[in-house]
Amino acid sequence: MAIPSNATLLSKYLRLDQKNKIQVEYIWIDGYNGIRSKTRTLDLAIGSVTATAVEITVDDIPEWNYDGSSTGQAQGHDADLLLRPVAMFDDPLRPCLSTTKNKLVLCDTYLPDGTPHPTNYRYHCKNTMAAYAHEHPWFGIEQEYMLIDKKIDKPLGWPQHGFPEPQGKYYCGVGATTVFGRDIVEAHYRACLYAGINLSGVNVEVVPGQFEFQVGPCEGICMGDELWVARYLLERVAEDFGIEVTLHPKPVQGDWNGAGCHTNYSTLAMRQDGGLAVMEDAIDRMSLHHFEDLAAYGEDNDLRLTGYHATGHIDAFSYGIANRRASVRIPRHVGKEGKGYMEDRRPASNIDPYRVTAIIVESSLLPISYNRIHRTI
């Protein structure tokens, strides 16, 4: 008789009825721009949520706390920080038979006195998006990443000694000698769709072991929320496969592409007739703050923005239609139709999307004469 595998046993137990109780995974951003999470059981028969409720909202999820001294966000003598749930998703990693599904809950971090933690960039982003809500800013972010085989400490699919064939055949490739890790990509794709994330596509990238997923279009603060939870799910899926995910913007030195977080952006005016002129005006405004904005566009981004490997140079701002070596690219079809969206190609793969989306809105919409020295990024 065959002994069932760990995966088979786990699958069986994950689908048991939880008898009016659900598991809630609290997710937050630590002091190193990384992801942390922990689980709490909520009894639907106790408190504001009744056992007969079909669905719950994020407002039903109670605040919690955590040890900020272990996440780079507090000192040991005053370590308790607050988690405030702000966005909720169905949990694809814990399917169950209950009417109400287990949940993933993204949280803001707060100090004990109720003020936002200094690493809580969502707070400023939410205020910015509220101030410009009448512009209806839409975003779509292209998250590039690389899978790492920790057994040899190299990208997945690379030989233990030496290097693979030069890049060229891998981008959007097909086949066992071209694509390494598609099972992880597909599992992540399905997990995001189950969760309710607006994941619009995936593709194999230029370097072997490198991939990209796209989230959006999302309006305002939802862009950052959905990208962070999509990142969490990628880490968790890869964890089950024993593979590491890196968001470093230049994971492999040499003649290999880096990794970005190209941020597509438009306002209502840009999406309407005459939008191209509105877009070009916005790009002119963005150009005035190129260097100060780069400070929030990702760590080690200078290793990536070299003017090669489909990037613009970090020392100069540029834009153009269909130009992938520009700081900001206007897609060819947008130039032809005269309306649509632009793509800021400067953000690195390890950005905090709250910081970048807030900056793009402010940079593109604030008056040119505005003194940006007082702005928080």
Side-chain angles (χ1 to χ4, degrees):
M1 179 178 176
I3 299 175
S5 66
N6 290 340
T8 301
L9 291 172
L10 183 60
S11 176
K12 174 183 176 181
Y13 288 114
L14 282 175
R15 286 166 173 78
L16 294 177
D17 191 344
Q18 298 171 176
K19 301 188 184 303
N20 295 328
K21 294 184 179 180
I22 65 169
Q23 294 167 281
V24 177
E25 192 73 15
Y26 285 65
I27 302 167
W28 71 98
I29 303 158
D30 66 18
Y32 312 105
N33 199 43
I35 300 171
R36 305 290 178 118
S37 75
K38 60 177 181 174
T39 313
R40 183 174 186 173
T41 302
L42 294 185
D43 192 332
L44 301 185
I46 298 176
S48 61
V49 183
T50 66
T52 58
V54 175
E55 275 300 336
I56 61 175
T57 70
V58 72
D59 294 330
D60 295 315
I61 308 300
E63 294 183 3
W64 207 6
N65 58 65
Y66 69 100
D67 174 13
S69 68
S70 298
T71 63
Q73 294 169 297
Q75 300 297 317
H77 67 277
D78 189 18
D80 282 0
L81 297 180
L82 301 177
L83 293 173
R84 291 184 180 172
V86 293
M88 187 171 68
F89 303 84
D90 292 335
D91 188 347
L93 305 173
R94 292 175 172 138
C96 64
L97 298 178
S98 302
T99 303
T100 302
K101 299 176 182 178
N102 294 316
K103 300 297 181 182
L104 305 175
V105 175
L106 183 66
C107 300
D108 266 356
T109 53
Y110 281 81
L111 297 168
D113 64 2
T115 57
H117 191 275
T119 60
N120 181 356
Y121 295 110
R122 188 184 188 277
Y123 181 81
H124 170 70
C125 182
K126 184 178 180 181
N127 290 338
T128 298
M129 297 305 172
Y132 291 97
H134 60 284
E135 299 282 356
H136 296 284
W138 287 5
F139 299 93
I141 291 186
E142 306 166 24
Q143 175 69 71
E144 295 179 338
Y145 63 94
M146 181 167 280
L147 300 175
I148 303 295
D149 183 349
K150 293 306 295 180
K151 297 184 183 68
I152 60 173
D153 202 26
K154 283 189 173 185
L156 188 64
W158 285 42
Q160 184 171 359
H161 304 288
F163 297 90
E165 294 180 57
Q167 59 187 37
K169 71 174 187 176
Y170 306 103
Y171 172 70
C172 294
V174 178
T177 62
T178 303
V179 182
F180 314 101
R182 196 185 293 274
D183 46 359
I184 296 174
V185 173
E186 290 295 325
H188 173 248
Y189 200 151
R190 296 295 184 91
C192 286
L193 294 180
Y194 180 98
I197 293 169
N198 190 20
L199 199 147
S200 50
V202 300
N203 62 265
V204 182
E205 267 302 332
V206 177
V207 184
Q210 185 184 50
F211 299 89
E212 171 186 299
F213 66 85
Q214 303 97 30
V215 176
C218 299
E219 185 165 345
I221 194 68
C222 292
M223 182 70 258
D225 292 347
E226 296 202 17
L227 185 66
W228 272 116
V229 177
R231 285 176 172 178
Y232 165 80
L233 288 173
L234 177 61
E235 294 275 7
R236 278 290 288 107
V237 169
E239 175 187 319
D240 287 346
F241 284 85
I243 297 297
E244 181 186 359
V245 177
T246 179
L247 299 184
H248 193 278
K250 190 68 173 179
V252 182
Q253 298 301 310
D255 191 19
W256 303 96
N257 275 33
C261 234
H262 302 153
T263 303
N264 300 283
Y265 164 66
S266 69
T267 61
L268 179 61
M270 295 175 193
R271 298 189 292 270
Q272 296 177 334
D273 290 343
L276 184 58
V278 178
M279 211 175 304
E280 290 176 333
D281 177 70
I283 293 171
D284 286 342
R285 295 167 189 262
M286 293 167 68
S287 70
L288 301 176
H289 308 288
H290 172 65
F291 293 105
E292 63 180 294
D293 289 350
L294 281 174
Y297 272 31
E299 296 294 323
D300 295 318
N301 206 16
D302 57 310
L303 301 177
R304 169 180 161 265
L305 294 180
T306 61
Y308 299 98
H309 301 114
T311 69
H313 198 283
I314 195 170
D315 291 335
F317 183 92
S318 61
Y319 83 94
I321 294 177
N323 185 355
R324 294 178 183 268
R325 286 193 174 181
S327 306
V328 176
R329 178 181 73 99
I330 297 176
R332 188 178 302 281
H333 73 277
V334 172
K336 182 178 180 180
E337 296 173 8
K339 59 183 177 181
Y341 66 93
M342 67 177 80
E343 177 193 45
D344 191 339
R345 297 181 59 81
R346 295 172 295 169
S349 49
N350 57 4
I351 59 165
D352 184 320
Y354 297 129
R355 300 182 74 183
V356 169
T357 54
I359 283 172
I360 290 176
V361 167
E362 291 179 339
S363 295
S364 65
L365 297 176
L366 284 172
I368 291 178
S369 60
Y370 181 76
N371 185 351
R372 298 279 294 289
I373 195 170
H374 300 297
R375 193 200 63 173
T376 301
I377 61 172

